[in-house]
Amino acid sequence: MPLGKPAQQRRLAGVLSYEDARDRARKVLPRLLFDYVDGGADDELTMRLNGERLRRLLLRPRTGVWVPRPGLKTEVLGTTLSMPVLTAPCGGMRLVHPDGDLAVTRAAARAGVVPVVPSGSGHSLEDIAASDGPKWFQLYRFSDRAGMESLVEGARAAGYEALVVTMDTGIAGNRERDFRNGFSYDLRINAGTALRLGPQMIRRPGWAFRFWRDGMPFELPNTARFGSDGRAMSLTEMARGGAESFSPTWRDVERIRETWAGGLVVKGVMTGDDARRAVDLGADAVVVSNHGGRQLDGVPATIDALPEVVAAVGGRAAVLLDSGVRRGGDVVKALALGARAVLVGRPVVWGLAIAGEAGVAHVLELLRSQIIRTMCLMGCPSVAALDPGWLWAHPRS
Ligand SMILES: Cc1cc2nc3c(=O)[nH]c(=O)nc-3n(C[C@H](O)[C@H](O)[C@H](O)COP(=O)(O)O)c2cc1C
């Protein structure tokens, strides 16, 4: 079935890979927004490593085995996914496309995968919850603990099935591309921004028109619930941080577990010790993540951290992974090393930039077809059968 309207299909024609999607998005978005999504922290060492280390890992196929339809279904926290993929929470998506997380969530439901809806969404968690399919909610602390608790309450009332507590964002990472571009999240048009952004906007009229028609939104509706005056914080205010950690702490995880009966996921774990701690506090899953290399630069690729975490968790919780997953083969490699499923961030954002919901759906279907092809060619009947035996033993020199 074709995805989206004819104009969207035209925009997606020829997008066969992550690189195609990234190139196409680069032509749609103003430079500073493209860089906001594409970039990482400091020297972007960790961001590069995420991809390089995944790609260095080699597959070990079994030949002469006919696998017509490999099984991709995966269960995570009681929900069956049509493939072992979730969409990663990405704040600021309404700047990328007016439909933002509404589009991501709808596309995810259509694809049979779970979206992780970010705290820093341009749409309220209630509006997003109104669409079909199971959803998880990603939790930040924003201003303080009370603010965080009101988000938890909102997620509960709106029917989110799990909370994903992001732990690696005490303060924002040092994203030098953003500083160079003068990206403040706040694209409010005044004389200064008009001068600075004018030349970029003229070259991206489609994006500029959509952004203008959307009312140039910068506020995060989810933050309106805890300001004393009911005023929503802007993206800039959110990113500025304050005297308190922007991420929940272990103490918060403990408190949340006492009152939250749904699934509890700790995102941003890189070591066995932290994974064990999360599980001891009652987490049902951990996400091995370095935030796509956007936070602490100089940490290893997540695929290198994964085996230590899997061993530490010892089957007591599900282990998920994100950062650098670009192709179906990457998904297969992560699963072979013990991940139950992966989250994808930037690939989804590029799809959103190109064609809204249809673009996200396109990117997810690309991933699905790549996973299927890889599994068929490997002679592997189902994702449940993947283990380290499907990887070459000495892949990394
Ligand atoms: C533009 C952008 C915004 C993000 N915002 C958030 C966020 O608000 N909360 C969060 O937990 N992670 C956030 N992340 C990190 C993603 O959830 C995920 O960990 C990361 O993108 C995975 O790496 P990948 O982009 O290489 O797939 C963001 C990532 C990007 C690219």
Side-chain angles (χ1 to χ4, degrees), residues 192-337:
T193 47
L195 270 178
R196 187 161 48 82
L197 302 180
Q200 292 188 36
M201 303 294 173
I202 288 164
R203 275 185 243 123
R204 300 292 181 265
W207 176 87
F209 175 68
R210 281 192 295 274
F211 184 57
W212 170 78
R213 202 180 45 189
D214 194 32
M216 299 188 282
F218 325 97
E219 278 73 31
L220 304 176
N222 288 332
T223 62
R225 60 194 328 116
F226 48 76
S228 53
D229 51 2
R231 188 184 69 83
M233 289 161 85
S234 74
L235 285 162
T236 311
E237 283 174 90
M238 177 189 117
R240 204 176 287 139
E244 294 198 53
S245 168
F246 190 48
S247 280
T249 61
W250 291 114
R251 178 79 191 103
D252 294 319
V253 172
E254 205 174 345
R255 287 168 66 122
I256 294 166
R257 182 71 293 177
E258 282 162 15
T259 57
W260 173 262
L264 185 62
V265 183
V266 171
K267 175 174 182 277
V269 165
M270 286 293 289
T271 65
D273 287 344
D274 279 346
R276 217 174 284 113
R277 186 164 189 180
V279 178
D280 287 347
L281 290 178
D284 303 295
V286 295
V287 186
V288 180
S289 172
N290 54 36
H291 220 98
R294 297 165 69 81
Q295 285 296 108
L296 177 61
D297 198 27
V299 294
T302 51
I303 196 71
D304 287 328
L306 178 64
E308 176 181 324
V309 170
V310 169
V313 167
R316 290 190 296 149
V319 178
L320 311 176
L321 171 140
D322 75 19
S323 302
V325 174
R326 303 292 176 252
R327 279 202 176 262
D330 298 337
V331 181
V332 169
K333 290 171 187 175
L335 266 60
L337 285 181

Side-chain angles (χ1 to χ4, degrees), residues 14 30 32 40 86 97 101 109 112 119 146 174 187 203 222-224 249 251 263 378 389:
L32 84 175
L86 299 91
H97 189 283
D101 294 295
S119 276
N174 178 40
L187 301 181
R203 275 185 243 123
N222 288 332
T223 62
T249 61
R251 178 79 191 103
M378 281 173 57

